[in-house]
């Protein structure tokens, strides 16, 4: 993912912007953990992150793409051979909302990632379907969006005075790096969808402060800005931490859980597991979009 800084939040509107995000997150689509392809999610998340690294996308783009992936998979039964296409469209849609025009990949660039296995019309048709499913609304705040703002208050010079860091700049960069690491961890577990994105973002800040062994776990300023107390964050923070102990197991499983190992031969004989009866099946066994 790109380490280039995004345009900063306009200071005079920052608090209002964050409050709008808080309202938006209350309107998120219901998530019921019913995806028939849930066993492939760890692989797809890692795959999306690797593609994002290649295209130098920012953290918010990655988080939005994975959020779209989660809610899309939760509502549709998708043929295994089409999961990579869904992942690419999630990344494309998110990049169109978050990235500058020059960074948005063309369909040919996306298709080259999978050895040009899909038709151009497949990309167009699925993008329209996905946007229609989202009601053409991509203003979907994720934990990364909240962290962009809340991390500005993650530490203060008072915290630095009690730390072991020589310069405040180094101290600041270290806490920002730690927050991003915990945000990355939060992507690994679909169960994080039970928490509001603002809560996840604040939990990552809490963990970063704890990692730096600061005198205070949470500050009055953070409570004022985020509207969360330290006790509100404990359960979510522990859920994120639990992922760090499972990362090794996830790496060992990712190839086994891949819906398609090898773009040339993989997936040609795959079938879609049966999902819940009320799920909408949008892809036929031939891989054609069924309207």
């Amino acid at each position: 993912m790109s380490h280039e800084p995004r345009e900063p939040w306009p200071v005079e509107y920052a608090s209002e912007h964050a409050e709008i995000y808080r309202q938006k997150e209350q309107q998120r689509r219901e998530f019921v953990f019913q995806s028939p392809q849930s066993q492939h999610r760890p692989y797809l998340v890692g795959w999306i992150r690797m593609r994002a690294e290649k295209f130098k996308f920012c953290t918010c783009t990655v988080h939005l793409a994975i959020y779209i992936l989660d809610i899309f998979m939760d509502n549709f039964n998708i043929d295994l051979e089409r999961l990579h296409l869904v992942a690419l469209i999630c990344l494309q849609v998110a990049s169109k909302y978050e990235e500058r025009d020059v960074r948005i990949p063309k369909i040919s660039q996306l298709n080259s990632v999978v050895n040009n296995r899909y038709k151009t019309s497949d990309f167009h048709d699925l993008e329209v379907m996905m946007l229609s499913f989202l009601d053409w609304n991509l203003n979907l705040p994720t934990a990364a969006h909240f962290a962009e703002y809340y991390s500005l208050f993650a530490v203060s010079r008072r915290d630095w005075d009690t730390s072991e860091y020589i310069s405040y700049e180094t101290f600041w960069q270290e806490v920002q790096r730690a927050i991003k690491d915990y945000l990355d961890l939060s992507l690994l577990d679909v169960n994080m969808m039970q928490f509001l994105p603002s809560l996840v973002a604040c939990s990552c800040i809490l963990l970063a402060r704890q990692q730096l062994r600061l005198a205070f776990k949470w500050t009055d300023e953070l409570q004022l800005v985020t509207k969360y107390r330290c006790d509100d964050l404990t359960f979510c923070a522990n859920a994120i931490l639990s992922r760090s102990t499972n990362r090794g197991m996830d790496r060992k499983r990712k190839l086994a859980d891949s819906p398609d190992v090898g773009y040339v031969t993989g997936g040609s004989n795959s079938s879609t597991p049966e999902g819940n009866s009320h799920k909408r099946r949008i892809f036929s066994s031939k891989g054609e979009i069924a309207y």
Side-chain angles (χ1 to χ4, degrees):
M1 285 169 280
S2 173
H3 296 291
E4 295 182 14
R6 284 157 53 92
E7 294 184 5
W9 286 50
V11 176
E12 63 272 26
Y13 304 118
S15 60
E16 289 86 352
H17 199 167
E19 186 57 36
I20 291 173
Y21 274 177
R22 292 290 289 262
Q23 295 171 12
K24 285 286 185 181
E25 71 175 351
Q26 296 291 340
Q27 303 166 8
R28 294 206 309 168
R29 191 180 298 269
E30 182 182 9
F31 192 83
V32 293
F33 302 92
Q34 63 176 8
S35 170
Q37 292 82 28
S38 59
Q39 71 271 27
H40 301 302
R41 183 188 182 274
Y43 167 82
L44 290 172
V45 168
W47 194 79
I48 285 176
R49 291 173 64 184
M50 286 191 293
R51 302 289 83 75
E53 184 77 28
K54 175 183 177 181
F55 290 117
K56 298 183 179 179
F57 290 156
C58 68
T59 300
C60 285
T61 299
V62 177
H63 278 252
L64 180 57
I66 292 174
Y67 172 70
I68 295 172
L69 175 74
D70 282 334
I71 59 175
F72 196 77
M73 289 176 63
D74 197 51
N75 284 271
F76 294 97
N77 191 347
I78 308 163
D79 278 353
L80 298 184
E81 64 183 19
R82 291 278 163 158
L83 283 178
H84 283 109
L85 177 61
V86 170
L88 286 173
I89 297 299
C90 289
L91 201 53
Q92 181 187 41
V93 167
S95 69
K96 286 183 177 181
Y97 187 76
E98 294 290 341
E99 302 287 340
R100 296 176 181 175
D101 290 346
V102 295
R103 287 200 181 278
I104 299 172
K106 299 177 181 178
I107 289 178
S108 58
Q109 292 175 289
L110 294 171
N111 209 7
S112 67
V113 171
V114 288
N115 293 339
N116 300 307
R117 68 185 300 185
Y118 301 116
K119 300 176 182 177
T120 299
S121 59
D122 292 338
F123 283 87
H124 289 308
D125 292 341
L126 181 55
E127 181 182 9
V128 171
M129 178 183 293
M130 190 173 289
L131 288 171
S132 297
F133 166 69
L134 296 170
D135 297 324
W136 299 85
N137 174 30
L138 293 177
N139 190 7
L140 305 167
T142 67
H145 292 92
F146 282 103
E148 271 195 324
Y149 175 54
Y150 292 156
S151 64
L152 299 177
F153 308 90
V155 290
S156 66
R157 289 190 176 271
R158 180 185 176 188
D159 293 313
W160 174 54
D161 289 339
T162 60
S163 74
E164 58 187 19
Y165 291 87
I166 297 176
S167 72
Y168 182 70
E169 290 71 22
T170 301
F171 174 65
W172 172 266
Q173 292 172 4
E174 187 62 29
V175 74
Q176 299 301 319
R177 188 179 301 111
I179 292 171
K180 184 183 180 303
D181 287 343
Y182 286 116
L183 284 171
D184 289 344
L185 266 181
S186 72
L187 290 174
L188 300 181
D189 191 352
V190 71
N191 289 315
M192 298 305 295
M193 291 288 284
Q194 68 183 295
F195 302 110
L196 290 174
S198 60
L199 182 68
V200 176
C202 292
S203 298
C204 291
I205 294 174
L206 175 65
L207 290 169
R209 289 181 59 86
Q210 180 176 303
Q211 180 176 310
L212 268 64
R213 300 177 181 175
L214 303 182
F216 300 97
K217 291 182 179 180
W218 206 240
T219 65
D220 292 340
E221 183 179 28
L222 277 168
Q223 182 171 324
L224 179 64
V225 170
T226 68
K227 299 181 175 61
Y228 285 115
R229 296 173 296 120
C230 184
D231 290 346
D232 298 329
L233 309 174
T234 304
F235 184 69
C236 180
N238 285 333
I240 296 172
L241 274 182
S242 69
R243 292 304 308 170
S244 63
T245 60
N246 296 328
R247 294 185 82 176
M249 295 175 60
D250 289 339
R251 290 186 183 123
K252 292 178 181 178
R253 285 200 305 261
K254 74 176 182 179
L255 283 180
D257 290 345
S258 167
D260 184 347
V261 181
Y263 295 126
V264 178
T265 59
S268 58
N269 297 317
S270 61
S271 60
T272 305
E274 291 298 321
N276 294 338
S277 59
H278 63 280
K279 270 189 165 289
R280 292 171 285 175
R281 185 172 183 177
I282 62 166
F283 296 111
S284 71
S285 59
K286 296 180 181 179
E288 298 170 346
I289 300 177
Y291 295 96

